[in-house]
Amino acid sequence: MTKNTLLSCLAAILCVAAGISVLPLRAGTPDEHSIIPRPASIHFTSGAFTHSDLSGRMRVDIVPDISHSGVPGSYILRITSDSVIVSAGDSSGAFYAMQTLRALRDPATGIVPCVEIEDAPRFQWRGFMQDVSRHFFSIEYLKRQIDAMARLKLNVLHLHLTDAAGWRVEIDRYPLLTSFAAWREGALWKDWWFGDRKYLPEGTSGAYGGYYTKEELRELVQYAAERYITIVPEIEMPSHSEEVLTAYPELSCTGEPYRHSDFCIGKEETFEFLENVLTEIMEIFPSQYIHIGGDEASKKAWAECPLCQARMKAEGLADVDELQSYMIRRIGSFLEAHGRTPVGWDEILQGGADSAAVVMAWRSVEEGERAASGGNRTVMTPGAYCYFDTYQDDPSTLPTAMGGYLPLSEVYSFEPVPSGLSPDEAAKIIGVQANLWCEYVPTEPHAELMIYPRLYALAEVAWSPASGRDYEDFRRRALALCAQMEAEGYNVFDLAREVGDRPAAQSPVEHLARGCKVIYNAPYNSTYAAGGDTALTDGLHGGWTYGDGRWQGFISRGRLDVTVDLGQVQDVRSVELDFMQVCGPEVFLPAEVVISASSDGNEFQELRRITREVVRDDRVTFVTGGWYTGGQSVSARYIRVQARSGSYGGWVFTDEIVVR
Ligand code: ACM
Ligand code: ZN
């Protein structure tokens, strides 16, 4: 084969791999392209490539020193009226050039505008995590998401393969993991979790679950690799392991099934089990990175377990955090001895982390900053920007979600490198990742609704230069890609009908109490302080989530009790305030609200008492209530509002005491 024939073959293969001949994308018109993620540099020239023999007129060169960023995947794409010329730093760069070409090409005519693009990824880790434990997702579904990831130039699919709700990967040595721990009573996670949390033998009538065979996973790994995507498997430890510790109860501290989420770290059998499992995992997944969980361990049983205590004594470990750290380091060393790199959620820093481990910062941006400044390579995936189990619009228009509110614009606003880091520390931030936890995501169409278009924004954060972000331009491109993916059968959120944040939160409200002092007869909770002592009179209503820094949370004895000082006696005609309910995180409407007024701060006159039966449900609910004069105003300087939760206890949240 001559060099030219070889090049046209390569071009033809790339076209097929990129889906160009099968599914051409919407036209990019000069200066208004629809490429996501936005290329580092794009310059339209006049004219268009109109020939039908695209792969015959394409030339692809691999030019190893082309990469400016040092991150694999860079390319230059030059389209003239007669030719398509790709120079790529490596084969992944050529693949990404094809994705860009696909996005530029008019689907109806095949016409491509003449353009010069120089492009390179900002981060090496551009990830998406799919939870397949809480609900089980088919291989076909995973392949469809891999296709979409490839188009978005994402390159890591992290599979959360194990959790209490079900073990999802075949392990020859421990058959109960898939014949028992992969099956449960209750197809919906919430029915199982809020019910008896029973596991069932495979084949039991009504058992819900599933697992992937090794063969299926090897094929999936290959499918992903052909699209320059690495599958990073996650095996949870030391916690989130109820399913393992019920199938193999001898690996827990007391040996009792259905009692533990954490492995016993005092037992050598635990390490033998985990190393055997990881050995089989490494045989399936060639990924450099193996995720070993590390999040949310209760650590309670360890404090009382003689074997855990003996381990702590023998190893000179000061506390249970150091005991966890011992386990994570020991398993990390095992992986390193096999040439792999451990990855863990940011709690692996507790008690000290192995400097070679990659930290996945989920609890906050600050945790990522701490990890990077401490020298660990870090993937940023903070809940505030990267958790797709949240509502992306008005909750009343969407299926029940875990909670929260993360609109497309907020994902797009994420800057993964905190400004306080030095250049060396900043270089430790190796990427970003979106996570789809699936407690409240039972079906494949529902999962796609949660992912798209938010994954477009994550992809642009991960790939495109930090400078030059423009949300309006991005949203226009996102609308085009939504339409395209919908035409291909994906269940995409209807971005064109997005409502945005809660209408009340969109503009400040003027009222008599704005800026007035609030006396707290019972304290607010410091985690949900919102603006602190001024939050309830700052003129700002809260949005769709209590976590947005505008809602103030009260949990101390389940009550809110505040007095607003208007500064002088005034004529008051109404006092009103909003409450919200989202039952998952135990946020409830109050069972009783009492509003009273006083001119001297001592003698209060009750204006209104509102009682309500609090009912658990799946919805996110907002109510506005208060006292409204039927005609006559009252003279008052002090307004006291008391609210208490009902029999469920939990939180009371309010955002503003509006006095008129
Ligand atoms: C996590 O969300 N527990 C990592
Ligand atoms: Zn123990």
Side-chain angles (χ1 to χ4, degrees):
M1 215 175 338
T2 65
K3 188 169 175 227
N4 275 349
T5 334
L6 185 68
L7 287 173
S8 9
C9 281
L10 178 59
I13 290 164
L14 284 167
C15 282
V16 171
I20 282 176
S21 56
V22 189
L23 291 166
L25 234 182
R26 209 192 86 102
T29 50
D31 300 328
E32 219 186 55
H33 64 86
S34 291
I35 308 164
I36 295 178
R38 172 175 56 87
S41 147
I42 181 163
H43 175 61
F44 286 95
T45 51
S46 60
F49 178 94
T50 58
H51 303 278
S52 57
D53 56 339
L54 175 63
S55 55
R57 288 171 184 268
M58 189 188 298
R59 184 192 155 116
V60 181
D61 294 322
I62 303 296
V63 187
D65 59 0
I66 199 177
S67 175
H68 304 300
S69 65
V71 176
S74 57
Y75 67 90
I76 295 171
L77 173 63
R78 282 199 187 88
I79 298 169
T80 69
S81 54
D82 285 322
S83 63
V84 173
I85 298 171
V86 175
S87 310
D90 61 0
S91 60
S92 72
F95 182 77
Y96 296 137
M98 292 305 112
Q99 301 306 324
T100 297
L101 180 58
R102 180 186 185 189
L104 281 165
R105 201 158 181 256
D106 186 290
T109 62
I111 292 174
V112 191
C114 293
V115 72
E116 288 192 24
I117 292 176
E118 282 193 43
D119 203 5
R122 180 176 176 201
F123 292 107
Q124 91 180 53
W125 185 300
R126 305 181 297 279
F128 170 64
M129 188 215 77
Q130 174 74 47
D131 169 7
V132 295
S133 173
R134 273 54 176 268
H135 290 98
F136 183 63
F137 294 85
S138 69
I139 291 283
E140 280 318 303
Y141 163 86
L142 293 175
K143 285 184 178 172
R144 277 165 59 75
Q145 309 330 309
I146 287 170
D147 292 345
M149 287 175 67
R151 158 189 257 166
L152 295 169
K153 303 184 175 88
L154 295 170
N155 67 348
V156 175
L157 174 60
H158 163 182
L159 290 181
H160 185 74
L161 287 166
T162 73
D163 212 300
W167 181 280
R168 305 286 177 225
V169 49
E170 185 178 45
I171 301 293
D172 296 329
R173 192 157 176 145
Y174 301 103
L176 288 178
L177 292 174
T178 43
S179 67
F180 178 70
W183 305 92
R184 69 174 189 235
E185 204 173 72
L188 294 180
W189 174 86
K190 67 178 172 135
D191 293 344
W192 171 80
W193 184 255
F194 296 111
D196 289 342
R197 301 193 192 174
K198 279 270 182 291
Y199 304 101
L200 297 169
E202 183 175 13
T204 307
S205 162
Y208 171 88
Y211 57 89
Y212 308 114
T213 64
K214 290 186 173 183
E215 196 182 333
E216 285 174 325
L217 287 169
R218 286 201 178 99
E219 205 236 318
L220 191 71
V221 164
Q222 180 64 26
Y223 187 89
E226 285 162 9
R227 288 153 185 80
Y228 295 89
I229 291 169
T230 301
I231 299 188
V232 173
E234 179 185 356
I235 302 297
E236 272 276 18
M237 65 190 77
S239 196
H240 284 274
S241 298
E242 289 91 331
E243 84 292 24
V244 179
L245 300 175
T246 298
Y248 296 98
E250 62 275 19
L251 302 175
S252 69
C253 286
T254 70
E256 296 159 280
Y258 287 111
R259 262 214 56 196
H260 295 273
S261 57
D262 301 353
F263 283 94
C264 176
I265 302 184
K267 295 180 179 172
E268 275 307 290
E269 296 94 300
T270 294
F271 291 91
E272 196 184 309
F273 170 87
L274 290 170
E275 291 179 7
N276 287 336
V277 166
L278 289 171
T279 298
E280 293 193 35
I281 289 291
M282 287 187 283
E283 285 163 13
I284 305 169
F285 298 97
S287 166
Q288 179 63 43
Y289 300 97
I290 305 287
H291 202 303
I292 54 172
D295 58 321
E296 299 183 307
S298 128
K299 304 176 186 171
K300 269 204 191 113
W302 303 343
E304 286 152 23
C305 168
L307 293 174
C308 285
Q309 291 301 309
R311 174 82 73 193
M312 285 169 64
K313 198 159 167 215
E315 299 291 335
L317 308 171
D319 53 29
V320 287
D321 285 347
E322 290 192 9
L323 184 61
Q324 163 160 309
S325 169
Y326 165 84
M327 174 194 223
I328 296 290
R329 284 174 196 260
R330 186 167 157 184
I331 295 292
S333 301
F334 172 79
L335 291 172
E336 283 157 23
H338 289 80
R340 308 297 180 97
T341 303
V343 184
W345 300 110
D346 57 53
E347 290 98 323
I348 67 169
L349 293 173
Q350 294 167 354
D354 169 359
S355 62
V358 171
V359 173
M360 215 168 242
W362 71 279
R363 288 179 298 167
S364 64
V365 171
E366 290 71 28
E367 288 297 339
E369 192 166 6
R370 195 186 337 272
S373 59
N376 283 91
R377 285 182 298 156
T378 301
V379 176
M380 283 290 199
T381 181
Y385 298 97
C386 298
Y387 270 38
F388 289 2
D389 53 347
T390 43
Y391 291 101
Q392 59 196 307
D393 201 15
D394 177 349
S396 71
T397 66
L398 294 165
T400 300
M402 186 57 133
Y405 171 57
L406 178 60
L408 183 66
S409 57
E410 193 72 6
V411 182
Y412 192 75
S413 74
F414 182 41
E415 170 45 54
V417 180
S419 56
L421 294 180
S422 70
D424 282 351
E425 290 166 345
K428 296 285 183 188
I429 307 281
I430 61 170
V432 283
Q433 179 172 295
N435 297 330
L436 183 62
W437 300 104
C438 289
E439 285 93 335
Y440 288 92
V441 184
T443 68
E444 294 174 355
H446 186 164
E448 291 182 353
L449 181 78
M450 304 304 272
I451 300 171
Y452 309 106
R454 288 187 287 190
L455 196 60
Y456 308 170
L458 191 281
E460 190 141 320
V461 169
W463 178 284
S464 306
S467 61
R469 273 196 221 171
D470 175 341
Y471 180 68
E472 283 313 311
D473 177 65
F474 167 75
R475 189 172 183 279
R476 178 189 59 73
R477 289 180 281 124
L479 281 164
L481 187 52
C482 283
Q484 179 65 31
M485 285 184 60
E486 208 165 281
E488 293 167 18
Y490 286 88
N491 187 39
V492 175
F493 167 69
D494 190 352
L495 181 61
R497 287 172 187 246
E498 184 185 31
V499 171
D501 207 348
R502 194 166 77 107
Q506 293 189 6
S507 47
V509 54
E510 270 309 329
H511 60 95
L512 281 183
R514 189 162 178 193
C516 290
K517 181 175 174 181
V518 179
I519 300 150
Y520 286 85
N521 307 311
Y524 51 82
N525 184 275
S526 59
T527 308
Y528 294 101
D533 291 357
T534 57
L536 298 185
T537 52
D538 61 3
L540 302 176
H541 274 299
W544 295 128
T545 174
Y546 60 84
D548 69 359
R550 290 177 167 204
W551 290 94
Q552 196 164 62
F554 299 82
I555 195 160
S556 161
R557 282 157 286 148
R559 70 190 176 116
L560 172 165
D561 185 354
V562 294
T563 305
V564 179
D565 179 357
L566 299 175
Q568 60 188 43
V569 173
Q570 311 215 30
D571 284 345
V572 174
R573 287 181 293 108
S574 71
V575 178
E576 68 176 20
L577 65 169
D578 297 350
F579 297 97
M580 72 176 298
Q581 175 162 305
V582 47
C583 296
E586 305 284 311
V587 176
F588 294 104
L589 296 175
E592 184 175 72
V593 180
V594 180
I595 296 169
S596 37
S598 165
S599 50
D600 63 5
N602 292 317
E603 298 260 317
F604 279 83
Q605 172 198 356
E606 185 174 309
L607 300 175
R608 183 146 189 228
R609 179 176 295 256
I610 306 165
T611 55
R612 161 188 301 106
E613 189 189 350
V614 182
V615 180
R616 265 189 192 275
D617 61 19
D618 276 349
R619 288 170 301 144
V620 181
T621 307
F622 298 84
V623 299
T624 302
W627 166 77
Y628 309 89
T629 172
Q632 291 221 314
S633 54
V634 297
S635 289
R637 172 172 168 180
Y638 300 95
I639 304 291
R640 185 171 182 184
V641 178
Q642 294 159 281
R644 61 169 185 80
S645 53
S647 55
Y648 297 127
W651 294 85
V652 169
F653 273 88
T654 193
D655 56 351
E656 183 78 4
I657 297 174
V658 177
V659 180
R660 293 196 164 94

